[in-house]
């Protein structure tokens, strides 16, 4: 969490810091707290919540809540607060950077020069973004910002999102299409959807088979959106030219068959890891906590835009 969280909340509460506790360590101390402020580690399951005798609020400095047993929290009367959209700029910029990395084979070139002493520019023929079709699965805050940036590169942008209107998509310079058309028409498919029962393994053997041969896949949302075994086969066979991810099904993930493939690029879930995003998220989270506890009228917090 950004230091501003402790700074702001310490004006109103007694704050104790506990960095990277294990589930067992958190379970041992959580009973004395009324408010828990965290990002996404550790998982807050029923076993931890059962020991949280005094807990009233869980404030999450992130958008996703799949690391918390929300039903159990609801039954115990614990309010769960998150900050959707606070990281949209950072994730969107990383997505565009990842597209450039994949199309221009930047990581491979960097590795070969620094690790193998190979300086051979002819090995890294790539492609421009201009004129390519980018398919976005979900057009929320992150997907919408990716679309705006992609338009600056003169890309053609399609989106699949059953929760927005054609006019909303058009206002962002995007054409709304079915998932089938998006997969068949896109040079690059980028995932920005939340994890739900409907999006779990949305990208699987069947949907990968509907993508264009030689296309690219990006997962910058949640690892469970993609069947990793099916993705491995699609990359190894050459059906997909490449894939990039900032997330994996089980994190931390330091070993995977995908890591043996040169055409797969991974980062360790760094989408929100910018100073600007974490300060923005921290301020908004503090505001929400103070509002929930009835202290907002006394607060002097400002929101970063």
């Amino acid at each position: 969490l950004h230091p501003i969280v402790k700074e702001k909340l310490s004006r109103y509460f007694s704050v104790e810091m506990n960095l990277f506790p294990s589930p067992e360590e958190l379970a041992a101390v959580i009973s004395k707290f009324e408010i828990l402020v965290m990002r996404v580690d550790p998982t807050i399951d029923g076993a931890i919540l059962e020991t949280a005798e005094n807990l009233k609020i869980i404030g999450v400095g992130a958008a996703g809540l799949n690391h918390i047993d929300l039903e159990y929290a609801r039954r115990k009367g614990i309010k769960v607060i998150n900050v959707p959209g606070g990281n949209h700029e950072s994730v969107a910029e990383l997505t565009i950077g990842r597209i450039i990395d994949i199309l221009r084979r930047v990581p491979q070139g960097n590795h070969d020069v620094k690790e193998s002493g190979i300086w051979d520019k002819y090995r890294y023929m790539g492609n421009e973004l201009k004129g390519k079709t980018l398919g976005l699965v979900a057009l929320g805050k992150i997907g919408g910002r990716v679309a705006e940036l992609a338009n600056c590169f003169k890309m053609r942008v399609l989106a699949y999102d059953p929760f927005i209107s054609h006019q909303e998509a058009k206002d962002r310079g995007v054409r709304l299409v079915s998932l089938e058309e998006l997969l068949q028409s896109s040079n690059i498919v980028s995932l920005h959807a939340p994890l739900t029962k409907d999006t779990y393994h949305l990208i699987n053997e069947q949907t990968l088979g509907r993508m264009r041969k030689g296309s690219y896949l990006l997962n910058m949302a949640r690892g469970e959106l993609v069947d990793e075994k099916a993705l491995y086969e699609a990359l190894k066979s050459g059906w997909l030219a490449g894939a990039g991810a900032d997330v994996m099904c089980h994190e931390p993930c330091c070993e995977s068959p995908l890591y043996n493939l040169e055409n797969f690029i991974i980062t360790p879930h760094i989408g929100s890891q910018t100073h600007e995003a974490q300060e923005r998220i921290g301020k908004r989270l503090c505001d929400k906590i103070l509002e929930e506890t009835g202290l907002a009228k006394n607060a002097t917090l400002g929101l970063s835009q």
Side-chain angles (χ1 to χ4, degrees), residues 70-239:
L70 295 175
E71 178 56 29
Y72 199 106
R74 184 191 65 78
R75 292 202 305 269
K76 289 201 68 172
I78 298 171
K79 179 80 171 183
V80 180
I81 298 170
N82 66 336
V83 190
N87 64 348
H88 69 284
E89 190 71 45
S90 296
V91 178
E93 290 180 6
L94 184 65
T95 300
I96 295 297
R98 187 60 45 85
I99 293 172
I100 294 172
D101 280 348
I102 290 177
L103 267 62
R104 298 300 301 273
R105 302 185 65 198
V106 173
Q108 294 93 329
N110 176 73
H111 175 273
D112 286 352
V113 172
K114 295 169 72 172
E115 302 298 328
S116 304
I118 298 172
W119 185 285
D120 182 2
K121 72 178 186 178
Y122 302 106
R123 298 177 64 165
Y124 310 106
M125 185 64 70
N127 291 283
E128 298 177 350
L129 275 64
K130 182 179 180 180
K132 302 298 184 296
T133 299
L134 173 63
L136 301 173
V137 177
L139 199 63
K141 288 184 178 293
I142 294 173
R145 181 58 177 152
V146 172
E148 292 173 358
L149 295 174
N151 283 325
C152 295
F153 284 92
K154 307 296 185 188
M155 300 184 79
R156 175 175 176 253
V157 186
L158 308 177
Y160 165 70
D161 191 325
F163 300 102
I164 71 165
S165 68
H166 285 271
Q167 187 58 50
E168 287 177 288
K170 185 178 180 181
D171 290 343
R172 291 185 178 274
V174 178
R175 186 164 72 88
L176 206 59
V177 297
S178 66
L179 180 60
E180 186 84 14
E181 182 176 349
L182 182 143
L183 296 174
Q184 293 176 350
S185 302
S186 300
N187 301 108
I188 305 142
V189 173
S190 189
L191 309 178
H192 301 283
L195 176 61
T196 68
K197 61 181 178 62
D198 295 320
T199 61
Y200 177 81
H201 281 192
L202 180 68
I203 301 301
N204 51 50
E205 183 179 0
Q206 289 71 37
T207 49
L208 285 166
R210 297 184 187 119
M211 291 179 63
R212 297 173 61 169
K213 181 175 174 57
S215 60
Y216 299 84
L217 176 72
L218 273 71
N219 185 6
M220 312 300 285
R222 289 291 179 265
E224 295 90 338
L225 301 183
V226 176
D227 180 339
E228 291 174 1
K229 291 182 180 179
L231 176 59
Y232 175 84
E233 293 300 329
L235 289 168
K236 188 177 180 182
S237 69
W239 180 257

Side-chain angles (χ1 to χ4, degrees), residues 17-27 29 36 38 41-44 48:
M17 299 291 291
N18 194 330
L19 297 179
F20 306 113
S22 68
E24 295 76 19
E25 290 170 336
L26 183 58
V29 300
L36 173 66
M38 65 180 303
D41 294 306
T43 296
I44 307 298
I48 290 179

Side-chain angles (χ1 to χ4, degrees), residues 220-287:
M220 312 300 285
R222 289 291 179 265
E224 295 90 338
L225 301 183
V226 176
D227 180 339
E228 291 174 1
K229 291 182 180 179
L231 176 59
Y232 175 84
E233 293 300 329
L235 289 168
K236 188 177 180 182
S237 69
W239 180 257
L240 292 187
D246 189 43
V247 290
M248 296 293 284
C249 287
H250 302 288
E251 299 177 8
C253 180
C254 296
E255 292 184 5
S256 168
L258 288 165
Y259 298 172
N260 297 321
L261 301 177
E262 186 186 77
N263 56 351
F264 179 76
I265 300 171
I266 182 68
T267 45
H269 208 148
I270 64 171
S272 298
Q273 288 297 102
T274 65
H275 296 289
E276 296 85 353
Q278 289 309 311
E279 181 176 7
R280 186 164 52 241
I281 288 169
K283 287 181 177 180
R284 292 179 183 176
L285 183 59
C286 288
D287 280 344

